Amino acid sequence: MANLRTAKKDLRCLLKQTLSQVSDHSIQRQCWYEALAAQNTLFSLPEYQSAKSISIYLSMPKGELTTGPIVIDALRRGKEVYVPYTHKADAPASDAPASIMDMVQLKSEDDFDKLEPDSWGIPTPSEASIAGRKRCLGVQSPEHVGAEKPKGSGERLDLVVMPGMAFDCRFGRLGHGKGYYDFFLKRYQRTLGDLPGVETQMPFLGMYS
């Protein structure tokens, strides 16, 4: 396990070095123009079209495929849209990171437009607004197994649009190293069961340089 963590850390460093050599113009071009192709592919998928509840990551100012148009499209189709909300764990369990992520519902396009950027520049729901939003795992301290909703209850997701630094040919994902999605998916499975498509190979929508 330690060797795997070291290998992932080294790979992230290599990727950052490689990306540092790519011009800002090229990165911005891919983030916007390649995003259009990815969005159109996503919109054409039956899994997206039939999804009633969808989680969508909100993109950083650069270096990630822009997801704002996906959020708008999903809301206009009448889907329930959930976005990441990261907060400190009050008393994290031994297997929990210091900060954890849940998915909280966006209420409307106006709600989306009013989100303020966090320290990463990512549009994020305010702490004050969380009490009035649906939450996928539904509790204020989901790091505690005993505090989570009973298995089978909660706000289920039909589809998750997830970011990543890199993907291999088998669709293995390398994240930014914080473990937010890994731990969220672990808690989701523990509380709500597998996501649809876990046992099937879903299409990869990404940005190639």
Side-chain angles (χ1 to χ4, degrees), residues 9 15 20 28 41 47 67 70 72 74 105-106 124 129 135 141 144 148 173 197-198 204-205:
K9 182 178 179 180
L15 288 168
S20 69
Q28 287 298 101
T41 301
E47 291 85 359
T67 57
I70 301 175
I72 298 301
Q105 187 183 19
L106 280 180
T124 303
S129 74
R135 296 180 62 169
S141 299
H144 297 110
E148 292 182 5
R173 172 183 171 272
V198 166
F204 169 72
L205 305 176

Coordinates of all heavy atoms in Angstrom, one line a residue, residues 9 15 20 28 41 47 67 70 72 74 105-106 124 129 135 141 144 148 173 197-198 204-205:
K9 N 2.1 9.4 -5.9 CA 2.7 10.7 -5.7 C 3.7 11.1 -6.7 O 3.7 12.2 -7.2 CB 3.3 10.7 -4.3 CG 3.9 12.0 -3.9 CD 4.5 12.0 -2.5 CE 5.1 13.3 -2.1 NZ 5.7 13.3 -0.7
L15 N 3.1 14.4 -13.8 CA 2.0 15.0 -14.6 C 2.1 16.5 -14.4 O 1.9 17.3 -15.4 CB 0.7 14.5 -14.1 CG 0.3 13.0 -14.6 CD1 -0.9 12.5 -13.8 CD2 0.1 13.0 -16.1
S20 N 3.1 21.7 -16.8 CA 3.7 23.0 -16.6 C 4.3 23.5 -17.9 O 4.6 24.7 -18.1 CB 4.7 23.0 -15.5 OG 5.8 22.2 -15.8
Q28 N -6.4 26.3 -21.9 CA -7.7 26.9 -22.0 C -8.5 26.4 -23.2 O -9.7 26.2 -23.1 CB -7.6 28.5 -22.0 CG -7.2 29.1 -20.7 CD -8.2 28.8 -19.6 OE1 -8.0 27.9 -18.8 NE2 -9.3 29.6 -19.6
T41 N -21.1 14.3 -26.2 CA -21.1 12.8 -26.0 C -21.9 12.4 -24.8 O -22.7 11.5 -24.8 CB -19.6 12.3 -25.9 OG1 -18.9 12.6 -27.1 CG2 -19.6 10.8 -25.8
E47 N -27.5 6.7 -20.5 CA -27.4 6.8 -19.0 C -27.6 8.2 -18.5 O -28.2 8.4 -17.4 CB -26.0 6.3 -18.6 CG -25.7 4.8 -18.8 CD -25.3 4.5 -20.2 OE1 -25.1 5.4 -21.1 OE2 -25.0 3.3 -20.5
T67 N -17.5 22.3 -16.7 CA -18.8 21.6 -16.5 C -20.0 22.4 -16.3 O -21.1 21.9 -16.2 CB -18.6 20.7 -15.2 OG1 -18.3 21.5 -14.1 CG2 -17.6 19.6 -15.4
I70 N -22.9 21.5 -18.5 CA -23.6 20.3 -18.1 C -24.6 20.5 -17.0 O -25.7 20.0 -17.0 CB -22.5 19.2 -17.7 CG1 -21.5 19.0 -18.8 CG2 -23.2 17.9 -17.2 CD1 -20.4 18.0 -18.4
I72 N -26.2 23.3 -16.3 CA -27.3 24.0 -16.9 C -28.2 23.1 -17.7 O -29.5 23.1 -17.5 CB -26.9 25.2 -17.8 CG1 -26.0 26.2 -17.0 CG2 -28.0 25.8 -18.4 CD1 -26.8 26.8 -15.8
A74 N -28.5 19.8 -17.4 CA -29.2 18.9 -16.5 C -30.4 19.5 -15.7 O -31.5 19.0 -15.6 CB -28.2 18.3 -15.5
Q105 N -27.6 19.4 -3.2 CA -28.4 19.7 -4.3 C -28.3 21.2 -4.7 O -28.4 22.1 -3.8 CB -29.9 19.3 -4.1 CG -30.7 19.5 -5.3 CD -32.2 19.2 -5.0 OE1 -32.6 19.2 -3.9 NE2 -32.9 18.9 -6.1
L106 N -28.2 21.4 -6.0 CA -28.5 22.8 -6.5 C -30.0 22.9 -6.8 O -30.6 22.1 -7.3 CB -27.7 23.0 -7.9 CG -26.2 23.3 -7.8 CD1 -25.7 23.4 -9.2 CD2 -25.9 24.5 -7.0
T124 N -18.7 27.1 -5.1 CA -19.0 26.2 -3.9 C -20.2 26.7 -3.1 O -20.3 27.9 -2.9 CB -17.8 26.1 -3.0 OG1 -16.7 25.6 -3.8 CG2 -18.1 25.1 -1.9
S129 N -25.8 27.9 3.6 CA -26.9 27.4 2.8 C -27.1 25.9 2.9 O -28.1 25.3 2.4 CB -26.6 27.7 1.3 OG -25.6 26.8 0.8
R135 N -29.0 16.5 0.8 CA -27.6 16.0 0.8 C -27.7 14.5 0.5 O -28.5 13.8 1.0 CB -26.9 16.2 2.2 CG -26.8 17.7 2.5 CD -26.1 17.9 3.9 NE -24.7 17.4 3.9 CZ -23.9 17.6 4.9 NH1 -24.2 18.4 5.9 NH2 -22.7 17.1 4.8
S141 N -22.5 14.8 9.9 CA -21.2 14.1 10.2 C -21.1 12.7 9.6 O -21.1 11.7 10.4 CB -21.0 14.1 11.7 OG -21.0 15.4 12.3
H144 N -18.9 9.4 10.6 CA -19.2 8.4 11.7 C -20.2 7.4 11.1 O -21.3 7.7 10.6 CB -19.9 9.1 12.9 CG -19.0 10.0 13.6 ND1 -19.2 11.4 13.5 CD2 -17.9 9.8 14.3 CE1 -18.3 12.0 14.2 NE2 -17.4 11.1 14.7
E148 N -24.6 7.7 10.0 CA -25.2 7.7 8.6 C -26.6 7.1 8.6 O -27.0 6.4 9.5 CB -24.3 6.9 7.7 CG -22.9 7.6 7.5 CD -22.0 6.9 6.5 OE1 -22.5 5.9 5.9 OE2 -20.9 7.3 6.3
R173 N -8.5 5.6 -12.2 CA -8.4 7.0 -12.0 C -7.4 7.5 -11.0 O -7.2 6.9 -9.9 CB -9.8 7.5 -11.5 CG -9.9 9.0 -11.2 CD -11.2 9.4 -10.6 NE -11.2 10.7 -10.1 CZ -11.0 11.0 -8.8 NH1 -10.7 10.0 -8.0 NH2 -11.0 12.2 -8.4
G197 N -24.0 1.0 -12.8 CA -22.9 1.0 -13.7 C -21.6 0.6 -13.1 O -20.6 0.5 -13.8
V198 N -21.6 0.3 -11.8 CA -20.3 -0.1 -11.2 C -19.8 -1.4 -11.8 O -18.6 -1.5 -11.9 CB -20.5 -0.3 -9.6 CG1 -19.3 -1.0 -9.0 CG2 -20.7 1.1 -9.0
F204 N -15.6 6.7 -21.2 CA -14.7 7.7 -20.7 C -14.8 9.0 -21.5 O -14.7 9.0 -22.7 CB -13.3 7.2 -20.7 CG -12.3 8.3 -20.4 CD1 -12.1 8.7 -19.1 CD2 -11.5 8.8 -21.4 CE1 -11.2 9.7 -18.8 CE2 -10.5 9.8 -21.1 CZ -10.4 10.2 -19.8
L205 N -15.1 10.1 -20.8 CA -15.2 11.4 -21.4 C -14.0 12.2 -20.8 O -14.1 12.6 -19.6 CB -16.5 12.0 -21.1 CG -17.7 11.2 -21.5 CD1 -19.0 12.0 -21.1 CD2 -17.7 11.0 -23.0

